[in-house]
Structure formats: C-alpha cells, structure tokens
Coordinates of all heavy atoms in Angstrom, one line a residue:
L1 N 0.8 -1.2 0.0 CA 0.0 0.0 0.0 C 0.8 1.3 0.0 O 0.5 2.3 -0.7 CB -0.9 0.0 1.2 CG -2.1 -0.8 1.1 CD1 -2.8 -0.9 2.6 CD2 -3.2 -0.3 0.1
Q2 N 1.9 1.2 0.8 CA 2.7 2.5 1.0 C 3.1 3.2 -0.4 O 2.8 4.4 -0.5 CB 3.9 2.2 1.9 CG 4.6 3.6 2.3 CD 3.6 4.4 3.2 OE1 3.3 4.1 4.3 NE2 3.3 5.6 2.7
P3 N 3.7 2.5 -1.3 CA 4.2 3.2 -2.5 C 3.0 3.6 -3.4 O 3.1 4.6 -4.1 CB 5.0 2.1 -3.2 CG 4.7 0.8 -2.6 CD 4.3 1.1 -1.2
L4 N 1.8 2.9 -3.2 CA 0.7 3.3 -4.0 C 0.1 4.6 -3.4 O -0.3 5.5 -4.2 CB -0.4 2.3 -4.0 CG 0.0 0.9 -4.7 CD1 -1.2 0.0 -4.6 CD2 0.5 1.1 -6.0
L5 N 0.0 4.7 -2.1 CA -0.6 5.9 -1.4 C 0.4 7.0 -1.5 O -0.1 8.2 -1.6 CB -0.8 5.6 0.1 CG -1.8 4.5 0.3 CD1 -1.9 4.2 1.9 CD2 -3.2 4.8 -0.1
D6 N 1.7 6.8 -1.7 CA 2.6 8.0 -1.9 C 2.3 8.6 -3.3 O 2.8 9.8 -3.4 CB 4.0 7.4 -1.9 CG 4.6 7.0 -0.6 OD1 3.9 7.4 0.4 OD2 5.5 6.2 -0.5
Q7 N 1.6 8.0 -4.2 CA 1.2 8.6 -5.4 C -0.1 9.2 -5.4 O -0.6 9.7 -6.4 CB 1.3 7.5 -6.6 CG 2.7 6.9 -6.7 CD 2.7 5.8 -7.8 OE1 2.4 6.1 -8.9 NE2 3.0 4.6 -7.4
H8 N -0.7 9.3 -4.2 CA -2.0 10.0 -4.0 C -3.1 9.6 -5.0 O -3.6 10.3 -5.7 CB -1.8 11.5 -4.1 CG -0.8 12.0 -3.1 ND1 -0.9 12.0 -1.8 CD2 0.5 12.5 -3.4 CE1 0.2 12.5 -1.2 NE2 1.0 12.8 -2.2
P9 N -3.5 8.2 -4.9 CA -4.5 7.8 -5.9 C -5.9 8.4 -5.6 O -6.2 8.7 -4.4 CB -4.5 6.2 -5.6 CG -4.1 6.1 -4.2 CD -3.0 7.2 -4.0
R10 N -6.7 8.4 -6.6 CA -8.0 9.0 -6.4 C -8.9 8.0 -5.6 O -9.9 8.4 -5.0 CB -8.7 9.3 -7.7 CG -8.9 8.1 -8.6 CD -9.2 8.5 -10.0 NE -10.4 9.3 -10.2 CZ -10.8 9.9 -11.3 NH1 -10.0 9.8 -12.4 NH2 -11.9 10.5 -11.3
A11 N -8.6 6.7 -5.7 CA -9.3 5.7 -5.0 C -8.4 4.4 -5.0 O -7.4 4.3 -5.8 CB -10.6 5.4 -5.6
L12 N -8.8 3.4 -4.1 CA -8.0 2.2 -4.1 C -9.0 1.0 -4.2 O -10.1 1.0 -3.7 CB -7.3 2.0 -2.7 CG -6.5 0.8 -2.5 CD1 -5.2 0.8 -3.3 CD2 -6.2 0.6 -1.0
I13 N -8.6 0.0 -5.0 CA -9.3 -1.2 -5.2 C -8.5 -2.3 -4.5 O -7.4 -2.6 -4.8 CB -9.5 -1.6 -6.7 CG1 -10.4 -0.5 -7.4 CG2 -10.1 -2.9 -6.8 CD1 -10.4 -0.7 -8.9
F14 N -9.2 -3.0 -3.5 CA -8.6 -4.1 -2.7 C -9.2 -5.4 -3.2 O -10.4 -5.5 -3.0 CB -8.7 -3.9 -1.3 CG -8.0 -4.8 -0.4 CD1 -6.8 -5.4 -0.8 CD2 -8.5 -5.2 0.9 CE1 -6.2 -6.3 0.0 CE2 -7.9 -6.0 1.7 CZ -6.6 -6.6 1.3
D15 N -8.5 -6.2 -3.9 CA -9.0 -7.4 -4.5 C -8.8 -8.6 -3.6 O -7.8 -9.1 -3.4 CB -8.3 -7.7 -5.8 CG -9.0 -8.6 -6.7 OD1 -9.9 -9.3 -6.3 OD2 -8.7 -8.6 -7.9
L16 N -10.0 -9.2 -3.1 CA -10.0 -10.4 -2.3 C -10.6 -11.5 -3.0 O -11.0 -12.5 -2.4 CB -10.7 -10.1 -1.0 CG -9.9 -9.2 0.0 CD1 -10.7 -9.0 1.2 CD2 -8.5 -9.8 0.3
R17 N -10.8 -11.5 -4.3 CA -11.4 -12.5 -5.1 C -10.6 -13.8 -5.0 O -9.4 -13.8 -5.1 CB -11.7 -12.1 -6.5 CG -12.8 -11.1 -6.7 CD -12.9 -10.7 -8.1 NE -11.7 -9.9 -8.6 CZ -11.5 -9.6 -9.8 NH1 -12.3 -9.9 -10.7 NH2 -10.4 -8.9 -10.1
G18 N -11.3 -14.9 -4.8 CA -10.6 -16.2 -4.7 C -9.7 -16.4 -3.4 O -9.1 -17.5 -3.3
N19 N -9.8 -15.5 -2.5 CA -8.9 -15.6 -1.3 C -9.7 -16.5 -0.3 O -10.7 -16.1 0.2 CB -8.6 -14.2 -0.7 CG -7.7 -14.3 0.5 OD1 -7.8 -15.1 1.3 ND2 -6.8 -13.3 0.5
P20 N -9.1 -17.7 0.0 CA -9.8 -18.6 0.9 C -9.8 -18.4 2.3 O -10.4 -19.0 3.1 CB -9.1 -19.9 0.5 CG -7.7 -19.6 0.2 CD -7.8 -18.2 -0.5
G21 N -9.0 -17.3 2.8 CA -8.9 -17.0 4.2 C -7.5 -17.2 4.7 O -6.5 -17.1 4.0
G22 N -7.5 -17.6 6.0 CA -6.2 -17.8 6.7 C -6.3 -17.4 8.2 O -7.3 -17.7 8.8
Y23 N -5.2 -16.7 8.7 CA -5.1 -16.4 10.1 C -6.0 -15.3 10.5 O -6.0 -14.3 9.8 CB -3.7 -16.2 10.4 CG -2.8 -17.4 10.4 CD1 -1.8 -17.5 9.4 CD2 -3.0 -18.4 11.3 CE1 -1.0 -18.6 9.4 CE2 -2.1 -19.6 11.2 CZ -1.2 -19.6 10.3 OH -0.3 -20.7 10.2
L24 N -6.7 -15.4 11.6 CA -7.6 -14.4 12.1 C -6.8 -13.1 12.5 O -7.2 -12.0 12.2 CB -8.4 -14.9 13.3 CG -9.2 -14.0 14.1 CD1 -10.2 -13.4 13.2 CD2 -9.8 -14.6 15.3
D25 N -5.6 -13.3 13.1 CA -4.9 -12.1 13.5 C -4.4 -11.3 12.3 O -4.4 -10.1 12.4 CB -3.7 -12.5 14.4 CG -2.7 -13.4 13.7 OD1 -3.0 -14.0 12.8 OD2 -1.5 -13.3 14.1

C-alpha cells in the first residue's frame, strides 16, 4: 500500500477474489 498511497491515488481497489482465508490475527 505504501508506494501506492505515496502517489495519492483517487481511490483504491482491494481485490480479495478467490482468497480462501487464513489467520484471524
């Protein structure tokens, strides 16, 4: 995220498609 936010995007898309999960913490 950090290098993307440094470029001041107009919005962010966070893609969790197909992500089966993992650790709660």
Side-chain angles (χ1 to χ4, degrees):
L1 282 174
Q2 190 62 68
L4 301 183
L5 297 176
D6 288 344
Q7 299 179 60
H8 306 290
R10 65 195 297 171
L12 180 72
I13 296 172
F14 186 30
D15 195 343
L16 291 177
R17 289 176 292 174
N19 186 316
Y23 288 114
L24 174 60
D25 63 334

